[in-house]
Amino acid sequence: MRKFDELADVADPAWPELRQACAESAVPVRVLPADADEGRRCLLQLQVTTRSVLGALTLHCGGLVLDDGWLRVYGAGRAAEGLPSLGRVNGFPGEFDPHWHPAAGLVVGHDVLGGVFCLNGRDPAGSGRPGAPGQLTYFAPDTLEWEALDMGHSAWVGWLLSGGTERFYAGLRRPDWRAEVAALDLSQGLSVFPFLWSEEAQRDLAATSRRAVPLREVVGLAADFARRLGPADPGFLGEV
């Protein structure tokens, strides 16, 4: 077990470069101030250093809000704006526990449609997920399945900031999507009906209706349908 100072006080910390990348991002990005105490708690439990992008976000940033709120990347949290921390999303223990780890994987981001970005745990196949340990997977609300992204956390954040979501979400965004998500607060998502995985929605996305609801409700509904209709329980933890 490494102490907090060993994790935080490192040569070549990632935060200055990451902050610059956010300033030069190809997509709109808002960098939220960190909850300092929560950031320290989460970094200690994660046992990663601030030399990594994950560690830098966890300690120095409340979270990243990309594309006017379409996607939220978790860090130390910003309760005042409705964004939970990595620790709350993943159900970290209240006090540091060297034996605890997120067995199925670490949820690192959500989108407004209920999509979940998760770092694979030690045994992805045992959790019903594709990809290698430590790589990103995405729970897609339009298929109710996990998809391997074949990249680690740092590469994923770089991909987001370079505009990778434009093609990734091409079939799920209506022409008015930007104004639609900008009106949400960070505790909300979009409930779509007919459901995104239905034949009706996939045949005519423009005909679907959308309304703002708590993101917890959007994610929970997708998880419930995945348990009933999909190949595996998505296993969401904590709170959003």
Side-chain angles (χ1 to χ4, degrees):
M1 183 200 82
R2 290 177 289 185
K3 296 181 180 179
F4 174 78
D5 289 347
E6 296 177 83
L7 302 171
D9 300 332
V10 298
D12 299 322
W15 180 240
E17 186 175 341
L18 177 57
R19 185 169 51 189
Q20 183 65 27
C22 289
E24 298 172 354
S25 173
V27 298
V29 58
R30 186 155 55 105
V31 180
L32 301 181
D35 178 326
D37 290 340
E38 183 67 2
R40 290 172 65 93
R41 181 181 83 91
C42 292
L43 188 72
L44 187 61
Q45 187 62 58
L46 284 173
Q47 287 288 294
V48 298
T49 75
T50 55
R51 189 177 291 110
S52 67
V53 170
L54 179 60
L57 280 172
T58 301
L59 185 62
H60 297 295
C61 176
L64 302 179
V65 181
L66 292 103
D67 270 343
D68 296 311
W70 180 276
L71 196 150
R72 301 91 186 254
V73 176
Y74 297 114
R78 187 63 176 170
E81 299 194 45
L83 193 73
S85 69
L86 271 169
R88 294 192 178 280
V89 170
N90 290 280
F92 284 12
E95 299 293 332
F96 174 67
D97 181 351
H99 303 294
W100 184 92
H101 61 87
L106 186 76
V107 174
V108 292
H110 282 100
D111 61 45
V112 294
L113 300 179
V116 184
F117 291 92
C118 183
L119 275 174
N120 272 336
R122 300 173 184 175
D123 182 18
S127 301
R129 299 182 185 178
Q135 289 194 330
L136 259 292
T137 52
Y138 175 69
F139 177 78
D142 58 328
T143 64
L144 303 179
E145 295 180 355
W146 289 98
E147 303 171 357
L149 298 187
D150 298 323
M151 64 181 86
H153 184 270
S154 296
W156 173 65
V157 172
W159 173 74
L160 294 177
L161 295 176
S162 69
T165 55
E166 184 173 354
R167 287 185 62 187
F168 189 75
Y169 289 113
L172 296 174
R173 288 173 166 175
R174 301 194 305 189
D176 61 345
W177 71 267
R178 195 172 292 278
E180 198 170 39
V181 300
L184 304 176
D185 66 43
L186 296 182
S187 66
Q188 293 179 310
L190 290 174
S191 174
V192 180
F193 189 81
F195 302 115
L196 287 170
W197 48 263
S198 69
E199 291 183 7
E200 294 91 339
Q202 296 188 9
R203 185 169 56 247
D204 189 359
L205 183 70
T208 60
S209 64
R210 305 191 177 202
R211 62 187 180 91
V213 300
L215 183 58
R216 171 185 288 275
E217 182 179 321
V218 181
V219 174
L221 187 61
D224 183 54
F225 275 116
R227 292 184 186 106
R228 287 189 280 159
L229 305 175
D233 186 331
F236 303 129
L237 299 172
E239 64 179 58
V240 292

